[in-house]
Amino acid sequence: MERPPLRFEKSRGRTEVEIRRRILQAIFEQRLPPGEKITEEQLATTFDVSRTVVRQAMARLAQDGILVKSPNIGSAIAAPSRKEARDILAVRRMVEPDIVRILANAPAREEVIARLNRHLALEDEARNSRNRGLQVRLSGEFHLLLAELAGNRILVRLMNQLQALTCLAILLYAGGDEACLPDEHSRIASAIAAGDRAAAEKEMLHHLHHVEKDMNLDRGPDTAGFTEAIEWLRGHSGHGVEG
């Protein structure tokens, strides 16, 4: 039997957070293409909420640079330029090595490793089942989990923004199908488990260098259409993206 569309309680705070979470998940799964126009009316219909609530969610996404507003076009998913893509990765190189150094020296490192291992197992499961959308999202959420485990909510919000913009840049410029290779994540986790801060930093920098190296300016976007993305937003309830 076909599952009915998911409905949301029209609670201002909860619904606004849920809308942002779903849009970020759609970006992480490469379902929303960069530059695609998105309207209040479409989202209000999709989520069965008022346009006022949608407007609040869109304002936050615009504040984070994930939506771009234009007087003639309206709101559209960000399409980072080549320079912006380089700037995004430069900021990640500043922030993420420090995150893994913190975790390698964390008092509760056993719990950190347990959560990282559970996440890596989910990545493996998605890869083995050939669920590419879930695999791509989980690869991105590995980095969000690192920020969460560091215990700094400002870092979590920053990493949500940087990861979403990185996903959009990958859609525009990456030459390969997968930016986050599984062995690179596992090497980062292993360095953290060993308490080796220098190795954790080195592995993270190597990983981010690989992501940047995979950027290929000769390749254009190759994503699902907006109609399919709207259907996914309407019916999917996933978890893992911080509000």
Side-chain angles (χ1 to χ4, degrees), residues 82-94:
R82 296 173 179 87
K83 181 183 183 305
E84 287 169 338
R86 289 193 297 269
D87 289 345
I88 290 162
L89 290 165
V91 174
R92 292 187 64 167
R93 286 194 299 272
M94 295 176 194

Side-chain angles (χ1 to χ4, degrees), residues 44-213:
T45 300
T46 297
F47 292 104
D48 192 22
V49 296
S50 72
R51 292 180 65 168
T52 299
V53 175
V54 167
R55 192 174 300 123
Q56 292 165 347
M58 292 177 71
R60 165 71 180 273
L61 290 168
Q63 183 182 10
D64 288 344
I66 295 164
L67 286 182
V68 178
K69 293 185 177 181
S70 168
N72 298 323
I73 299 175
S75 294
I77 302 296
S81 67
R82 296 173 179 87
K83 181 183 183 305
E84 287 169 338
R86 289 193 297 269
D87 289 345
I88 290 162
L89 290 165
V91 174
R92 292 187 64 167
R93 286 194 299 272
M94 295 176 194
V95 173
E96 293 193 73
D98 275 349
I99 291 176
V100 295
R101 287 179 67 90
I102 290 169
L103 295 179
N105 198 39
R109 199 164 65 250
E110 289 183 3
E111 175 60 23
V112 167
I113 294 306
R115 291 191 60 185
L116 288 176
N117 285 340
R118 287 196 294 269
H119 186 90
L120 291 174
L122 292 175
E123 287 189 37
D124 288 340
E125 183 179 343
R127 187 175 299 105
N128 293 335
S129 64
R130 301 184 183 277
N131 187 338
R132 185 178 181 280
L134 179 60
Q135 179 186 340
V136 171
R137 172 163 67 83
L138 288 170
S139 292
E141 288 180 353
F142 174 82
H143 296 266
L144 305 185
L145 177 59
L146 292 173
E148 179 188 338
L149 292 171
N152 187 322
R153 288 187 61 83
I154 303 301
L155 274 178
V156 173
R157 178 174 176 178
L158 175 62
M159 283 307 305
N160 267 287
Q161 178 185 6
L162 292 173
Q163 186 62 42
L165 293 172
T166 300
C167 286
L168 294 169
I170 286 171
L171 279 171
L172 288 168
Y173 307 122
D177 289 332
E178 182 183 6
C180 292
L181 297 178
D183 61 322
E184 294 183 357
H185 282 180
S186 63
R187 287 202 300 265
I188 292 169
S190 295
I192 293 172
D196 191 334
R197 291 179 292 174
E201 180 179 6
K202 179 181 177 181
E203 293 295 346
M204 177 59 76
L205 286 171
H206 171 78
H207 178 48
L208 294 175
H209 173 74
H210 173 259
V211 173
E212 183 165 11
K213 185 178 179 181

